[in-house]
Amino acid sequence: ATVTYTLASGAANSFTSNYTLADTVLSNVTIAPKALTLSATKTYDGNNSLDNAVTISGAVAGETLGYTGATASNIHVATANKYINAISLSCSTPSGSCLTSNYQLPSLGEYSTSNTVTINQLAQVNWTGGASGNWSNGSGWANGALPTLTDVAKAVIPTGSTVVFDGTTAYSGAIQTDGTLNVSVGSGASLNMANAISGQGGLSKSDAGTLTL
């Protein structure tokens, strides 16, 4: 590192012209890396990937920071204090590369005002898993966006499909069934299903438990 310094007059009757700075080699000079702020926002998609979702603030002028491999600590809309728990930085300038070691990421092990994730509710997801399948099978829903908790506003079962709500996934959003929704409630169990259910399809219950709509 190059350090530039100049003399300044101190006492009222002192003059910098009375002094000459000697050539000096400084050792043990420490330059602290510049702290960065991370924030990410995306719509729920059933996974923790943050591709194209992260904003990195704090780069010095003329340097551009990018990233790969960013993931969120939690995938659900309602979970508080989510944060980025993995990310790899890249750095570039118009004339070439720069050093990512000149920057300091916030802690990736906890939520902070310098490391935040927001996941917004998905408006609708359709069943794409064929003629039949279990609700809890994430691959049966478009783009793997399993409707669970408050993550999806409306789940749609299309004509010709039967989906078994197998009780392993809590879901509070609306359900539109143009196919068949089969609710499985095991013997001795009970399920209070307060979801708004609409559509031109069917609704059935299987097994010996109690279903309340």
Side-chain angles (χ1 to χ4, degrees), residues 47-146:
N47 65 69
N48 68 347
S49 172
L50 294 175
D51 289 348
N52 302 312
V54 178
T55 298
I56 304 172
S57 302
V60 301
E63 295 188 350
T64 301
L65 294 177
Y67 71 93
T68 58
T71 57
S73 61
N74 189 279
I75 68 172
H76 298 298
V77 170
T79 301
N81 297 335
K82 296 181 287 290
Y83 56 91
I84 297 170
N85 61 4
I87 190 170
S88 296
L89 286 181
S90 61
C91 184
S92 63
T93 66
S95 59
S97 62
C98 54
L99 297 176
T100 57
S101 57
N102 288 336
Y103 294 96
Q104 177 66 55
L105 290 169
S107 171
L108 301 181
E110 61 184 352
Y111 167 86
S112 71
T113 56
S114 297
N115 184 357
T116 62
V117 172
T118 299
I119 297 178
N120 296 317
Q121 187 183 62
L122 179 64
Q124 177 178 309
V125 65
N126 290 8
W127 173 262
T128 56
S132 63
N134 288 337
W135 183 289
S136 61
N137 178 15
S139 63
W141 298 96
N143 300 314
L146 171 68

Side-chain angles (χ1 to χ4, degrees), residues 161-190:
S161 293
T162 297
V163 178
V164 178
F165 192 89
D166 47 353
T168 61
T169 301
Y171 174 61
S172 62
I175 301 172
Q176 177 181 321
T177 175
D178 297 319
T180 300
L181 173 64
N182 176 268
V183 183
S184 174
V185 186
S187 178
S190 62

